[in-house]
Amino acid sequence: MDSLCFSSFLSGSHSNFCVLRSSPASPVGSSRAFFYNRLNSKSFQKQIHFNHRCVGFYSLSCSATLSVTPEVEEKQAFDAEKANLLVKELRKSFNSGRTKSYEWRISQLESIAKMLEEKEKDITDALQKDLSKPAFEAFISEVSQVKSSCSEAIQELKHWMKPEKVKTSITTYPSSAEIVSEPLGVVLVISTWNFPFLLSMDPVIGAISAGNAVVLKPSEISPATSSLLANLLTEYLDNSAIRVVEGAVPETTALLEQKWDKILYTGSARVGRIVMSAAAKHLTPVILELGGKCPGVVDSNINLQVAARRIIGGKWACNAGQACISVDYIITKREFAPTLINALKVELEQCFGKNPMESKDMSRIVSPSHFGRLVKLLEEDKVSDKIVLGGQKDESKLKIAPTILLDVPDDSTVMQEEIFGPILPILTVDNLEESFDIIRSKPKPLAAYLFTNDEQLKKDYVQNISSGGMLINDTILHVATKGLPFGGVEESGMGSYHGKFSFDGFSHKKSVLYRSFDADSTIRYPPYTPQKEKLLKAVISGNIFQIILSLINGVV
């Protein structure tokens, strides 16, 4: 009897497993099957390797008998030393000045545009493997958004790079001034798994547009997309300035130990605190795109069919609710709740059929651990009897049907944590003004939604509810609107990006003042006399009469 030894990074620690190979009659037969299935599960299909271009995970295997012969040579792990070397290489490339030129930036953006055209199917296939994301949804929510960002950057780059002229005052006459956007240097982008292509490439486009060298760390929870990004960016982009590091907690930790010129992280508030703490050691600025419980307030004076479809579009058709801007819970009037629930039921059937568990138009839950977390939310004592629609689940398919809960207690876990799944609590109130207090009792969300035709309610909602972004009478589309920044506030994040805001987020706005050697007044130099003081005060106040009077009195 021999054994197969396997090492894998699991939750940031090195865990070793030994699987005994034996006949089915052996006492360990059932254990053999269990561990064999575990070895072939997605969570173990990682890679560990480091080379000049990217870092990944490979499984390691060996035959363990009295004489051990390794079948695959163990690859060197990506540690702090490797991360430091990587940053040094990229900083050398940045310091050469090559990434600062318009020609380099536009060439990289055009290469990304070419990549998006040539590899669209590969991208949608990877998203299907990671999330069972329908090809149509993958294109609309990820590929087309990256194409739009890239196209805008190509069209606007010269304008973005152009210095911004600033008026000067009489105190510096004769002079001119401008604001120059300069790249920060070497930046780190840590993306997440729910929109693994979009949330990787969108900030990378911004960092490249601004003229930086970039390291992208995709999420290991979406391994197919992570691997594809590593391969595509190696193939299409300048690897002397743009790299991909695959991996999990150890690799991310090694990267965070380094000195970066900016870090953009997308993910949970818990990890956001870790990223911010690591960045603080080097006084590195950060953009944090986090999340939170995004509310949707629904009035009764609306086109209910359209509103129901738009809520579905921002919840169940949006990666099965696994989105930081997904509608997390709804607040409506008590008497209107049954009507709203019935409308959602009708439109859900139109979207996903009578048996949504068989629908190919809704993504699956990303992993068994996230599936278990969501099931635990539904099975909590305070919640299990509040299900008014859905609730079906299939662990083998990692599927949970669109589920609606009615009036769950505020202290239940489903109302205390971001749901990040296909579960939608509906809370009822006597009047919609009460919804303001409910929303403000929770951390500020990344997005807030309102459905109403009441103009005063719209104004009150915009004025009194603080959130990263807001949309009236629809969901999620604000993040795809050109000219609007995307970012959070307080617990939901800090900083923003998208389009010009991405360029600005990865740039330093350097103020530059140009002066002539002419007209050098002695007013600013000692000795300081009462006449000089009068003239200075007159100049600062803009009092032309006092300026002339002071000049007549002999101050020059």
Side-chain angles (χ1 to χ4, degrees), residues 9 11-13 57 78-80 247-255:
F9 282 107
S11 301
S13 62
F57 282 86
F78 183 80
D79 54 16
V249 174
E251 288 71 26
T252 305
T253 301
L255 289 170

Side-chain angles (χ1 to χ4, degrees), residues 382-393:
K382 303 174 183 179
V383 173
S384 59
D385 62 345
K386 302 294 184 179
I387 298 174
V388 294
L389 181 69
Q392 302 93 331
K393 46 193 177 292

Side-chain angles (χ1 to χ4, degrees), residues 89 163 194 249 252 269-270 336 367 400 406 460 507 544 546:
E89 290 176 359
N194 56 335
V249 174
T252 305
R270 179 184 61 82
F336 184 65
S367 68
I400 296 177
L406 181 61
D460 292 343
S507 299
I544 300 299
Q546 287 295 332

Side-chain angles (χ1 to χ4, degrees), residues 32-49:
R32 173 180 63 92
F34 169 78
F35 283 113
Y36 185 79
N37 288 336
R38 288 288 289 152
L39 286 172
N40 284 280
S41 68
K42 279 193 173 182
S43 61
F44 285 97
Q45 303 306 308
K46 311 289 185 186
Q47 300 181 336
I48 298 178
H49 80 277

Side-chain angles (χ1 to χ4, degrees), residues 248-409:
V249 174
E251 288 71 26
T252 305
T253 301
L255 289 170
L256 288 174
E257 290 178 7
Q258 311 311 310
K259 169 69 174 73
W260 303 93
D261 296 297
K262 192 146 196 177
I263 299 173
L264 185 148
Y265 166 76
T266 304
S268 69
R270 179 184 61 82
V271 179
R273 288 179 170 86
I274 296 172
V275 171
M276 194 171 182
S277 177
K281 295 177 182 178
H282 302 286
L283 294 179
T284 298
V286 296
I287 296 175
L288 300 179
E289 298 302 338
L290 307 177
K293 298 190 72 62
C294 300
V297 176
V298 181
D299 203 350
S300 57
N301 61 349
I302 58 175
N303 184 322
L304 187 53
Q305 183 184 39
V306 173
R309 284 201 296 248
R310 291 177 177 179
I311 291 169
I312 291 168
K315 181 64 175 181
W316 296 286
C318 184
N319 199 29
Q322 298 171 109
C324 55
I325 55 170
S326 170
V327 184
D328 193 272
Y329 64 100
I330 280 176
I331 305 173
T332 193
K333 291 180 182 178
R334 187 164 285 107
E335 66 272 14
F336 184 65
T339 305
L340 175 60
I341 292 168
N342 186 64
L344 288 170
K345 179 181 178 181
V346 170
E347 295 304 320
L348 279 167
E349 187 171 317
Q350 289 292 317
C351 290
F352 303 113
K354 292 184 179 296
N355 184 3
M357 298 293 286
E358 300 299 324
S359 174
K360 296 180 180 179
D361 293 321
M362 192 169 77
S363 305
R364 65 168 171 80
I365 308 306
V366 68
S367 68
S369 63
H370 280 275
F371 180 90
R373 176 184 62 81
L374 292 167
V375 169
K376 189 175 180 180
L377 293 180
L378 289 176
E379 292 179 348
E380 188 175 4
D381 289 340
K382 303 174 183 179
V383 173
S384 59
D385 62 345
K386 302 294 184 179
I387 298 174
V388 294
L389 181 69
Q392 302 93 331
K393 46 193 177 292
D394 186 337
E395 186 173 7
S396 66
K397 296 180 180 179
L398 294 180
K399 286 263 191 172
I400 296 177
T403 300
I404 296 176
L405 311 173
L406 181 61
D407 281 329
V408 293

Side-chain angles (χ1 to χ4, degrees), residues 268-270 273 290-292 443-446 488-494:
S268 69
R270 179 184 61 82
R273 288 179 170 86
L290 307 177
K444 294 180 180 180
L446 187 58
V489 56
E490 292 186 355
E491 285 279 316
S492 58
M494 62 181 66

Side-chain angles (χ1 to χ4, degrees), residues 91 94 184-188 212 259-263 284-285:
R91 198 168 297 283
F94 174 78
L184 292 170
V186 183
V187 302
L188 173 64
N212 298 281
K259 169 69 174 73
W260 303 93
D261 296 297
K262 192 146 196 177
I263 299 173
T284 298

